[in-house]
Amino acid sequence: TVSLSISSGQALELLLSFWPRTLTFNRMKTTTCSLLIIISLLQLMIPVNTEETLDSIIKKLKEALSDGGNHPSTVTHTLSCTSVKASGNLASCSAGMIATGCSCGFACGSWNIQNENVCHCLCPIIDWTLARCCQLS
Protein backbone atom coordinates (compact mmCIF):
# COMPACT_ATOMS: atom_id res chain seq x y z
CA THR A 1 0.00 0.00 0.00
CA VAL A 2 1.37 3.37 -1.02
CA SER A 3 0.47 6.36 1.10
CA LEU A 4 0.44 9.77 -0.55
CA SER A 5 0.23 12.94 1.49
CA ILE A 6 -0.62 16.19 -0.27
CA SER A 7 -1.20 19.47 1.49
CA SER A 8 -4.19 21.56 0.49
CA GLY A 9 -1.84 24.15 -1.01
CA GLN A 10 -0.13 21.52 -3.17
CA ALA A 11 -3.49 20.16 -4.31
CA LEU A 12 -4.65 23.65 -5.21
CA GLU A 13 -1.44 24.31 -7.13
CA LEU A 14 -1.87 21.01 -9.00
CA LEU A 15 -5.48 21.81 -9.90
CA LEU A 16 -4.62 25.34 -10.99
CA SER A 17 -1.84 24.11 -13.27
CA PHE A 18 -4.49 22.56 -15.54
CA TRP A 19 -6.60 25.74 -15.81
CA PRO A 20 -5.87 28.61 -18.22
CA ARG A 21 -4.40 31.72 -16.63
CA THR A 22 -5.19 34.35 -19.22
CA LEU A 23 -7.32 36.79 -17.22
CA THR A 24 -7.30 37.72 -13.55
CA PHE A 25 -11.05 37.13 -13.34
CA ASN A 26 -10.67 33.57 -14.69
CA ARG A 27 -7.90 32.92 -12.18
CA MET A 28 -10.15 34.11 -9.33
CA LYS A 29 -13.00 31.94 -10.53
CA THR A 30 -10.69 28.98 -10.85
CA THR A 31 -9.21 29.52 -7.41
CA THR A 32 -12.62 29.82 -5.78
CA CYS A 33 -13.95 26.68 -7.50
CA SER A 34 -10.81 24.75 -6.67
CA LEU A 35 -11.00 25.74 -3.02
CA LEU A 36 -14.61 24.64 -2.83
CA ILE A 37 -13.75 21.28 -4.38
CA ILE A 38 -10.80 20.74 -2.04
CA ILE A 39 -12.79 21.70 1.06
CA SER A 40 -15.56 19.30 0.03
CA LEU A 41 -13.06 16.47 -0.52
CA LEU A 42 -11.35 17.13 2.81
CA GLN A 43 -14.69 16.98 4.62
CA LEU A 44 -15.40 13.60 3.03
CA MET A 45 -12.04 12.25 4.24
CA ILE A 46 -12.64 13.18 7.91
CA PRO A 47 -13.90 10.08 9.75
CA VAL A 48 -17.13 10.56 11.70
CA ASN A 49 -18.37 8.23 14.42
CA THR A 50 -22.12 8.41 13.81
CA GLU A 51 -22.97 5.37 15.95
CA GLU A 52 -21.88 7.07 19.14
CA THR A 53 -23.73 10.25 18.23
CA LEU A 54 -26.92 8.38 17.33
CA ASP A 55 -26.72 6.24 20.48
CA SER A 56 -26.30 9.29 22.70
CA ILE A 57 -29.28 11.02 21.04
CA ILE A 58 -31.48 7.96 21.52
CA LYS A 59 -30.38 7.64 25.16
CA LYS A 60 -31.19 11.30 25.87
CA LEU A 61 -34.56 10.92 24.14
CA LYS A 62 -35.43 7.85 26.23
CA GLU A 63 -34.43 9.67 29.42
CA ALA A 64 -36.57 12.67 28.51
CA LEU A 65 -39.58 10.49 27.72
CA SER A 66 -39.30 8.40 30.88
CA ASP A 67 -38.71 11.50 33.07
CA GLY A 68 -36.62 9.30 35.35
CA GLY A 69 -39.48 8.97 37.85
CA ASN A 70 -39.16 12.62 38.86
CA HIS A 71 -42.79 13.45 38.08
CA PRO A 72 -45.92 11.88 39.52
CA SER A 73 -47.83 9.60 37.20
CA THR A 74 -50.56 11.19 35.14
CA VAL A 75 -54.16 10.42 35.97
CA THR A 76 -56.08 8.68 33.22
CA HIS A 77 -59.38 10.29 32.26
CA THR A 78 -62.05 8.97 29.97
CA LEU A 79 -64.35 11.04 27.82
CA SER A 80 -67.84 9.65 27.38
CA CYS A 81 -70.28 11.29 24.98
CA THR A 82 -73.88 10.76 23.96
CA SER A 83 -76.44 12.51 21.78
CA VAL A 84 -79.73 13.94 23.05
CA LYS A 85 -82.43 14.71 20.50
CA ALA A 86 -85.50 16.82 21.28
CA SER A 87 -88.33 18.33 19.27
CA GLY A 88 -88.33 22.10 18.89
CA ASN A 89 -85.34 24.43 19.09
CA LEU A 90 -83.84 23.34 22.47
CA ALA A 91 -82.06 20.13 23.52
CA SER A 92 -80.65 19.76 27.05
CA CYS A 93 -77.85 17.56 28.31
CA SER A 94 -78.33 15.58 31.52
CA ALA A 95 -76.77 16.78 34.80
CA GLY A 96 -72.98 16.66 34.87
CA MET A 97 -72.63 16.68 31.07
CA ILE A 98 -71.57 19.57 28.84
CA ALA A 99 -72.88 20.30 25.34
CA THR A 100 -69.97 20.21 22.90
CA GLY A 101 -71.91 20.67 19.68
CA CYS A 102 -75.39 20.97 18.21
CA SER A 103 -77.31 19.92 15.13
CA CYS A 104 -80.57 21.41 13.94
CA GLY A 105 -83.40 20.23 11.71
CA PHE A 106 -84.37 21.82 8.37
CA ALA A 107 -80.64 22.21 7.55
CA CYS A 108 -80.23 25.04 10.03
CA GLY A 109 -76.57 25.68 10.74
CA SER A 110 -77.04 28.50 13.19
CA TRP A 111 -76.99 27.54 16.88
CA ASN A 112 -75.44 28.39 20.21
CA ILE A 113 -74.89 26.68 23.56
CA GLN A 114 -76.59 28.15 26.60
CA ASN A 115 -75.49 27.52 30.20
CA GLU A 116 -72.89 25.00 28.92
CA ASN A 117 -75.52 22.25 28.60
CA VAL A 118 -78.37 23.44 26.35
CA CYS A 119 -78.28 23.54 22.54
CA HIS A 120 -80.36 26.33 21.04
CA CYS A 121 -81.10 26.37 17.30
CA LEU A 122 -81.49 29.92 16.01
CA CYS A 123 -83.39 29.45 12.72
CA PRO A 124 -87.06 30.50 12.68
CA ILE A 125 -88.47 27.08 11.76
CA ILE A 126 -86.95 24.06 13.57
CA ASP A 127 -88.51 20.62 13.95
CA TRP A 128 -85.74 19.02 16.02
CA THR A 129 -82.49 19.84 17.84
CA LEU A 130 -79.69 17.46 18.74
CA ALA A 131 -77.11 18.12 21.46
CA ARG A 132 -73.79 16.27 21.66
CA CYS A 133 -73.23 15.89 25.40
CA CYS A 134 -69.90 14.83 26.91
CA GLN A 135 -68.53 14.15 30.39
CA LEU A 136 -64.92 13.77 31.53
CA SER A 137 -64.53 11.12 34.22
Side-chain angles (χ1 to χ4, degrees), residues 39-55:
I39 290 170
S40 298
L41 290 173
L42 288 174
Q43 286 179 337
L44 290 174
M45 293 189 304
I46 297 171
V48 177
N49 187 357
T50 56
E51 284 184 31
E52 183 177 289
T53 306
L54 186 58
D55 286 342

Side-chain angles (χ1 to χ4, degrees), residues 86-120:
S87 60
N89 65 347
L90 296 174
S92 299
C93 296
S94 59
M97 299 192 94
I98 295 175
T100 58
C102 305
S103 183
C104 306
F106 291 118
C108 174
S110 181
W111 52 266
N112 63 20
I113 297 175
Q114 299 175 348
N115 300 323
E116 294 185 344
N117 66 341
V118 177
C119 278
H120 176 221

Side-chain angles (χ1 to χ4, degrees), residues 64-87:
L65 289 175
S66 69
D67 288 329
N70 294 334
H71 301 287
S73 63
T74 58
V75 177
T76 304
H77 294 286
T78 57
L79 182 67
S80 56
C81 298
T82 186
S83 296
V84 175
K85 187 175 182 179
S87 60

